Amino acid sequence: MSKVSILGLHLPSDPRWVNLAEISLEEVLTDHAFCEQKAATSCISLIQRYPHRDRLVQELAPIVTEEWGHFRQVLAEMRKRGFQLGKQRKDLYVNELMLHQLKGGDPDTVFLDRLLTFALIEARSCERFRLLSEGLDDEYLREFYRKFMISEAGHYRLFIDLANEYLPEEKVRTRWQEWLTIEAGIMDKMEVRGDRIH
């Protein structure tokens, strides 16, 4: 079984992506840095919105520190290579996912969609990092991204576990399958670009 199917993603990344990313290394590292920063702030926003959900708070608090540490690691790698942190771009992939989140109505359903959206972002990031860890010519960067891949896989699993903690497992399973279909449709329509992680 492939790692993609283990993560549950319905559509693998275009195999050309890793070669394009290698050509645009400064840009893709910039985008990676901002992805880590946004991951940290997203966890903070969940804690602020759901402070009464004790396990969520306890589990996500250290993730905030970890994601910010990843941001600093990417910055250090860029500095080592003489790269400059570029401008943050709009994340079209994440924006498209957000458009499919249920708004209003049942608070538990809204909460579930937030958790599953974050799980999807982590799963796709993990898949992209795996491609970099296997496909880059630079041996150091391959190992660099292998470590990120392992971390993202754990975060993906955590968001799914939190969903199952607070909501009926059948509801989580059904909505997750819907989200996987949505995400595959988004990926299928997106331009293959090497200057971004997603």
Side-chain angles (χ1 to χ4, degrees):
M1 183 180 289
S2 72
K3 290 185 175 68
V4 174
S5 60
I6 288 170
L7 290 168
L9 299 173
H10 285 181
L11 184 68
S13 288
D14 189 306
R16 296 172 295 172
W17 175 78
V18 70
N19 304 111
L20 294 171
E22 190 157 39
I23 294 167
S24 308
L25 202 53
E26 186 167 8
E27 289 80 8
V28 84
L29 282 166
T30 286
D31 191 57
H32 179 189
F34 284 119
C35 284
E36 298 291 355
Q37 184 189 80
K38 284 179 280 191
T41 56
S42 293
C43 288
I44 290 170
S45 72
L46 277 175
I47 291 169
Q48 291 171 332
R49 192 171 186 90
Y50 302 104
H52 57 290
R53 299 191 185 273
D54 186 62
R55 186 186 169 197
L56 179 143
V57 173
Q58 295 304 317
E59 295 278 10
L60 292 188
I63 302 296
V64 173
T65 306
E66 183 181 346
E67 300 284 25
W68 196 255
H70 289 169
F71 173 67
R72 294 180 64 191
Q73 286 176 45
V74 178
L75 281 183
E77 185 61 26
M78 294 185 73
R79 191 176 303 115
K80 188 177 78 175
R81 292 170 181 269
F83 293 162
Q84 293 292 317
L85 182 66
K87 291 183 179 179
Q88 181 175 342
R89 63 164 182 84
K90 289 183 179 178
D91 194 323
L92 299 177
Y93 168 79
V94 171
N95 289 346
E96 282 293 319
L97 287 177
M98 297 299 182
L99 289 176
H100 290 84
Q101 283 186 339
L102 297 175
K103 309 291 194 300
D106 176 29
D108 280 347
T109 302
V110 172
F111 175 57
L112 174 60
D113 264 17
R114 287 199 174 98
L115 292 177
L116 295 185
T117 301
F118 289 134
L120 266 177
I121 294 167
E122 298 285 359
R124 183 58 70 180
S125 297
C126 179
E127 188 240 11
R128 288 287 172 99
F129 293 158
R130 178 180 65 82
L131 291 175
L132 292 171
S133 75
E134 294 173 354
L136 292 174
D137 289 335
D138 186 315
E139 184 178 350
Y140 179 86
L141 272 184
R142 287 201 304 270
E143 180 60 22
F144 182 76
Y145 275 108
R146 190 187 73 81
K147 292 174 183 174
F148 281 109
M149 174 194 73
I150 293 168
S151 176
E152 300 300 287
H155 297 167
Y156 147 76
R157 188 69 249 167
L158 174 60
F159 283 115
I160 297 292
D161 288 347
L162 286 172
N164 285 319
E165 169 90 6
Y166 291 110
L167 297 144
E169 289 191 13
E170 182 57 35
K171 181 174 183 176
V172 174
R173 189 160 43 247
T174 299
R175 186 57 176 157
W176 178 240
Q177 290 304 313
E178 292 171 357
W179 267 113
L180 288 171
T181 301
I182 291 167
E183 198 264 357
I186 291 170
M187 289 297 295
D188 190 46
K189 293 176 183 175
M190 289 196 70
E191 178 186 3
V192 181
R193 295 180 53 169
D195 60 347
R196 57 188 59 185
I197 292 296
H198 304 118

